[in-house]
Amino acid sequence: MRFQLDELDALALGEGELMELDQEQQRLGHADALIRLCQQSVAALYDGEEGTCNDQLGQIRHWLEEARDHDNALSEALDTVESARLQVEAAAEALRHYLDRLDLDPERLAQVEERLGQAYSLARKHRVRPEELAEHHQQLAREVDTLEHFDEHLEALAKAEEEAREHYMGQARKLSKARKTAATTLTRQIATQLKALGMKAARLETVVEDDSPGAEGLDLVEFRFSANPGQPLRPLAKVASGGELSRVSLAIQVICARNLTVPSLVFDEVDVGVGGGVAEIVGRLLRELGEHAQVLCITHQAQVASQGHQHWQVHKIQSKNTTRTRIQPLAPDARVEELARMLGGVEITDSTLAHAREMLEKGQEVA
């Protein structure tokens, strides 16, 4: 790498220099043609013996000045011709300055072509495009510097690592403290909700324990649960039944509803194992959640279904060879009939319908 860097150092190709060399090579290599063409252009524009653009425009200006004496409407055309004549003069002057700077310099042309040849040769050697050679040179210099001053770089990296670790630990400890405070509050609020949901003997604890450092901090956060008296607290995911998980989830969602970021929540028979007043409380909590997010709940409890903003009926249609599931939205009258069926079974009486209608009206009044 040092040998390669020495070669590039010797060339010392600057950023953007290759394009400048290409342009200079084109100019020096075609200097004869450039001089001839520019001299012809100057002669045709201004310095010719006769019939130059300047002469012709001067004659036209003279004619238009005479014609304008008879019709002032030609003033605009006259001004345009005069402007063109002035531009021709400016163009001729610019070409004269260009010719003054343009020299036939075979020695400089040889130098430029030699430098271009070296650049293209090194580009092929390093397997980069010629225009990338300067950037490659800088990158190689950085790599060589890192290797030659390895101890210094290692020390700097170790220092940066220690600073990052200290910063991480400081932020992680703040996070742990905030989590433990929040865990105490959340545990107390969940206990209140679980009692309202008919799980009076249930206990749930939010545990924040020290763990190894990671992207989410130093903590292992776990919900531990016991559904019955005398049973120890164990990880919620391992000991809770489906219905218990649903009700715990419902309790947590209700508590967190104000900061809810999930757009949709689905509860599958969250009311399993409850009935009567507890089922009505579950329905109220679900409706409260529905004010903050979209809530879908599968239920067999009329007390829960009556409090939904909308109601779909799900049932199977079976034929000899196929089974299909049909889902249809229910209008208010159909909702009353479905609630009556959920309350009374196969035979629906007038009193059952009246009870269902009253339940629906009461459920829709819940704020």
Side-chain angles (χ1 to χ4, degrees):
M1 290 178 69
R2 166 52 66 186
F3 175 78
Q4 293 175 345
L5 184 60
D6 288 343
E7 285 185 320
L8 292 168
D9 286 342
L11 179 64
L13 189 68
E15 191 72 31
E17 183 184 351
L18 191 66
M19 181 180 296
E20 295 175 0
L21 289 171
D22 277 331
Q23 294 173 350
E24 188 176 3
Q25 191 269 343
Q26 287 290 321
R27 184 174 65 255
L28 292 171
H30 298 84
D32 287 336
L34 289 170
I35 291 172
R36 175 176 53 82
L37 293 171
C38 288
Q39 288 175 342
Q40 290 175 350
S41 298
V42 171
L45 288 170
Y46 202 84
D47 291 341
E49 295 181 357
E50 58 182 21
T52 66
C53 287
N54 185 62
D55 293 337
Q56 293 178 7
L57 288 170
Q59 180 61 57
I60 295 170
R61 182 187 63 178
H62 175 72
W63 290 336
L64 289 176
E65 285 177 343
E66 184 178 344
R68 186 185 57 182
D69 294 339
H70 304 294
D71 188 352
N72 197 54
L74 292 170
S75 295
E76 183 177 353
L78 176 60
D79 292 341
T80 302
V81 170
E82 178 62 14
S83 176
R85 191 184 68 80
L86 293 174
Q87 290 186 33
V88 165
E89 289 184 7
E93 185 66 20
L95 287 171
R96 291 192 198 100
H97 287 300
Y98 177 80
L99 286 168
D100 290 340
R101 299 192 308 271
L102 186 61
D103 294 323
L104 293 173
D105 191 348
E107 184 177 348
R108 176 56 185 167
L109 176 60
Q111 293 173 353
V112 170
E113 289 181 340
E114 181 181 1
R115 188 160 177 77
L116 281 172
Q118 292 173 345
Y120 281 102
S121 176
L122 280 178
R124 288 193 298 271
K125 183 174 182 179
H126 289 268
R127 297 182 180 179
V128 297
R129 293 196 296 268
E131 61 270 20
E132 297 173 349
L133 194 60
E135 182 182 349
H136 176 72
H137 183 191
Q138 296 173 6
Q139 176 64 29
L140 189 61
R142 289 192 292 268
E143 293 179 10
V144 169
D145 180 69
T146 300
L147 292 172
E148 290 183 342
H149 302 85
F150 178 78
D151 292 340
E152 297 175 15
H153 287 284
L154 188 61
E155 183 179 345
L157 286 173
K159 182 179 179 182
E161 179 188 15
E162 183 60 28
E163 290 175 352
R165 182 182 296 277
E166 290 179 2
H167 177 73
Y168 169 87
M169 293 301 294
Q171 297 300 315
R173 290 190 183 101
K174 289 181 182 178
L175 179 59
S176 296
K177 183 178 179 180
R179 279 175 172 160
K180 289 174 181 177
T181 300
T184 300
T185 303
L186 183 62
T187 297
R188 184 175 63 253
Q189 293 175 341
I190 290 175
T192 301
Q193 291 291 344
L194 291 180
K195 289 178 181 179
L197 290 170
M199 303 174 69
K200 296 182 179 180
R203 291 182 298 143
L204 186 137
E205 183 177 342
T206 310
V207 180
V208 181
E209 295 181 337
D210 291 338
D211 196 16
S212 58
E216 298 178 352
L218 299 171
D219 310 310
L220 176 65
V221 182
E222 185 177 54
F223 287 117
R224 294 179 184 172
F225 178 74
S226 172
N228 303 302
Q231 292 182 344
L233 291 166
R234 293 181 179 177
L236 174 67
K238 295 182 178 180
V239 299
S241 66
E244 290 167 346
L245 278 174
S246 293
R247 272 180 277 176
V248 171
S249 175
L250 177 60
I252 294 173
Q253 294 294 351
V254 170
I255 294 167
C256 300
R258 292 183 180 179
N259 300 314
L260 198 63
T261 57
V262 179
S264 297
L265 299 168
V266 180
F267 294 96
D268 185 5
E269 299 190 22
V270 68
D271 48 22
V272 169
V274 301
V278 175
E280 185 175 345
I281 292 173
V282 171
R284 290 178 183 176
L285 290 176
L286 289 169
R287 188 176 179 88
E288 181 181 338
L289 275 180
E291 301 296 333
H292 303 278
Q294 182 186 59
V295 177
L296 301 177
C297 177
I298 300 170
T299 181
H300 295 284
Q301 295 278 6
Q303 293 91 333
V304 175
S306 65
Q307 302 200 50
H309 294 85
Q310 299 182 58
H311 194 164
W312 285 270
Q313 182 191 55
V314 183
H315 63 97
K316 291 181 180 180
I317 301 175
Q318 293 181 331
S319 62
K320 183 176 181 181
N321 298 317
T322 61
T323 300
R324 293 178 296 161
T325 300
R326 181 181 179 184
I327 304 176
Q328 61 180 1
L330 299 180
D333 291 342
R335 284 192 72 175
V336 172
E337 294 180 3
E338 179 63 17
L339 289 174
R341 186 192 63 77
M342 296 171 73
L343 286 168
V346 177
E347 185 178 351
I348 301 176
T349 65
D350 291 340
S351 60
T352 305
L353 285 170
H355 185 196
R357 187 173 291 105
E358 180 183 3
M359 182 180 293
L360 182 60
E361 292 174 354
K362 181 180 178 181
Q364 298 307 300
E365 292 174 358
V366 176

